[in-house]
Amino acid sequence: MSKRKRNNSQTTLGTSPGTLTYVGADVNYATKITWVEYNNEEYKVCQIPHFSDLNQLELSKNKRHWFNIDGIHEPQVIATIGEIFNLHPLILEDIMNTEQKPKFESYEGNQLFFTFKMLNYNASTREIESEHLSLVLIDNCVLSFQEERTTDIFLPVQNRIVASAGKTRKNGVDYLIYCLIDLVVDNYFMCLDCLSDEIERLEEDIIQDAKPIAMRELYGLKREEMALRKSIYPLREMIATVLREDYPSITHYTSLYFRDVLDHTSQLIENIDSHRDLIASLMDLYLSQVSNKMNNIMKVLTVISVIFMPLTFVAGIYGMNFDNMPELHWKYSYPVVWIVMIVMVILMLIGFKRKGWL
């Protein structure tokens, strides 16, 4: 799995729990905050010019609120958001740590925290690229944190709210959390489909001609599948934890949809396991093809050696320097020897052909 280069000078080693230290690639742009306010009848989408303006917002209790934060690299921004919404310090620390594994935690004040990875398949590099995501559910408000600003992966959900399509505007913010997680899981299926296409392509290449590059690509696919598995397994446990416990913020209606996400993650894991078995089979097929190719080469070389053995024998006999060899003084000795050797070669080739050695 492809990861953007991490700044090695930024690390959480030796710091106290809750310390806001960004662990990730260097970023040169400012954090972008989008506020979406909606209910059954109306909606409002606006950009927050500066993170300090969040203090001046008046959040209606009769509406649902979604703050989408693009960029997690500025500690001051994350700290301010944490103060405004009274977030636990450990939540803020995990939000800024792009190497944090997927997990789910509940904190005081009915705060539910989700962190996981968004995966995208890069067709040019044939690698899966990951992006660190975090979601926080508080009362009638959802906070979503994205690592990158160049592409808004949650834009389809925002478009659904604007178009009043589906059930997003008709349900609470817990349903919005489900929509965001479901969007990520759907993207996992797209990544798996791309990997399936790569596996099929490699299978055809190996059957036609097993080249060394095929084995390198197989190991690359195996590495991508393992990385994908590391992202999906914790996500399944995270959803299972949500369903096992009784959280006031998540209604029974929404929990049914979370069950559907759990089924999808189980299906993803089954597909990954089948891919792993298929890649192992392709590796065996590659080695078998290489072995067969080597056997064919050795067979050809052996046939050539066997053909030249009697020719070498005849040439060796008549190459001896004895005086009493009548054939050496015969007028037709030279052409006769050539004819005999050619006939021997033809007879051996016919015999090899009949036995299926050629």
Side-chain angles (χ1 to χ4, degrees):
M1 181 178 293
S2 174
K3 286 188 176 181
R4 292 171 300 162
K5 188 176 181 181
R6 182 173 68 86
N7 187 353
N8 293 326
S9 63
Q10 298 167 332
T11 177
T12 57
L13 295 177
T15 60
S16 61
T19 302
L20 297 185
T21 303
Y22 171 64
V23 180
D26 292 328
V27 180
N28 298 322
Y29 51 76
T31 302
K32 175 184 174 183
I33 303 177
T34 304
W35 174 32
V36 181
E37 183 183 49
Y38 66 95
N39 57 18
N40 295 347
E41 290 78 23
E42 57 183 347
Y43 73 91
K44 180 174 67 174
V45 179
C46 63
Q47 303 292 331
I48 306 299
H50 194 265
F51 65 91
S52 59
D53 297 335
L54 290 171
N55 282 314
Q56 303 174 7
L57 296 179
E58 294 183 4
L59 304 183
S60 173
K61 294 183 179 180
N62 298 324
K63 296 181 180 180
R64 295 115 193 176
H65 305 276
W66 174 23
F67 291 91
N68 186 28
I69 297 93
D70 291 327
I72 57 175
H73 56 285
E74 296 180 293
Q76 186 178 2
V77 176
I78 302 300
T80 301
I81 295 174
E83 293 175 2
I84 294 173
F85 294 97
N86 195 26
L87 300 182
H88 196 281
L90 293 179
I91 292 179
L92 304 179
E93 180 184 9
D94 290 339
I95 287 173
M96 299 190 68
N97 185 5
T98 61
E99 297 182 352
Q100 174 63 49
K101 294 182 179 180
K103 71 172 185 177
F104 165 76
E105 296 287 349
S106 61
Y107 295 90
E108 295 180 0
N110 202 22
Q111 298 179 7
L112 302 184
F113 174 64
F114 306 78
T115 183
F116 44 92
K117 306 297 180 184
M118 180 66 172
L119 304 179
N120 289 291
Y121 182 78
N122 190 327
S124 59
T125 61
R126 295 179 182 175
E127 291 182 337
I128 294 178
E129 298 176 346
S130 66
E131 178 181 353
H132 185 63
L133 303 178
S134 300
L135 302 176
V136 183
L137 175 61
I138 314 170
D139 298 330
N140 66 334
C141 181
V142 170
L143 305 176
S144 61
F145 297 86
Q146 304 182 46
E147 185 179 355
E148 297 213 19
R149 183 185 172 181
T150 52
T151 55
D152 187 357
I153 60 175
F154 293 142
L155 187 59
V157 177
Q158 180 179 319
N159 292 337
R160 266 186 271 166
I161 294 176
V162 172
S164 190
K167 307 178 180 65
T168 309
R169 279 173 58 175
K170 300 176 182 178
N171 293 283
V173 289
D174 57 335
Y175 187 84
L176 176 61
I177 286 282
Y178 152 74
C179 291
L180 299 177
I181 296 176
D182 184 62
L183 179 65
V184 173
V185 173
D186 288 343
N187 227 58
Y188 289 172
F189 278 104
M190 295 176 62
C191 291
L192 269 181
D193 289 341
C194 293
L195 291 178
S196 296
D197 294 339
E198 287 295 317
I199 291 174
E200 292 178 3
R201 180 187 62 82
L202 280 175
E203 184 178 14
E204 294 177 359
D205 292 345
I206 291 173
I207 292 175
Q208 292 177 0
D209 186 12
K211 297 180 179 179
I213 191 174
M215 181 59 82
R216 291 197 295 270
E217 291 184 359
L218 281 174
Y219 274 109
L221 279 176
K222 185 177 181 181
R223 189 167 54 248
E224 298 300 313
E225 293 280 354
M226 291 177 60
L228 191 59
R229 186 187 182 97
K230 289 181 181 179
S231 296
I232 296 177
Y233 254 98
L235 180 61
R236 185 178 67 170
E237 294 302 318
M238 181 178 74
I239 302 300
T241 302
V242 173
L243 293 174
R244 277 196 303 266
E245 304 294 335
D246 186 17
Y247 297 103
S249 300
I250 299 178
T251 63
H252 175 70
Y253 176 82
T254 305
S255 65
L256 297 177
Y257 289 94
F258 272 103
R259 276 199 200 110
D260 183 62
V261 175
L262 182 62
D263 292 339
H264 288 170
T265 55
S266 299
Q267 183 181 349
L268 284 167
I269 292 174
E270 291 176 2
N271 292 342
I272 291 175
D273 291 339
S274 65
H275 281 186
R276 181 180 59 183
D277 296 337
L278 184 55
I279 290 174
S281 299
L282 288 179
M283 288 182 174
D284 293 338
L285 176 62
Y286 172 83
L287 295 176
S288 176
Q289 290 285 81
V290 171
S291 178
N292 289 337
K293 187 183 294 186
M294 182 61 67
N295 289 339
N296 290 333
I297 294 173
M298 294 303 298
K299 182 171 65 174
V300 172
L301 294 177
T302 302
V303 168
I304 293 174
S305 300
V306 171
I307 289 174
F308 273 91
M309 285 176 62
L311 303 182
T312 305
F313 175 74
V314 173
I317 289 178
Y318 289 101
M320 295 185 294
N321 296 321
F322 292 116
D323 292 331
N324 296 323
M325 293 184 69
E327 295 90 345
L328 295 179
H329 305 287
W330 186 35
K331 179 180 179 181
Y332 300 104
S333 296
Y334 181 74
V336 168
V337 170
W338 266 108
I339 292 172
V340 169
M341 289 194 295
I342 292 173
V343 170
M344 291 173 60
V345 171
I346 293 174
L347 291 176
M348 283 188 290
L349 289 175
I350 293 174
F352 294 152
K353 188 70 174 179
R354 287 181 177 179
K355 290 183 176 293
W357 296 349
L358 290 178

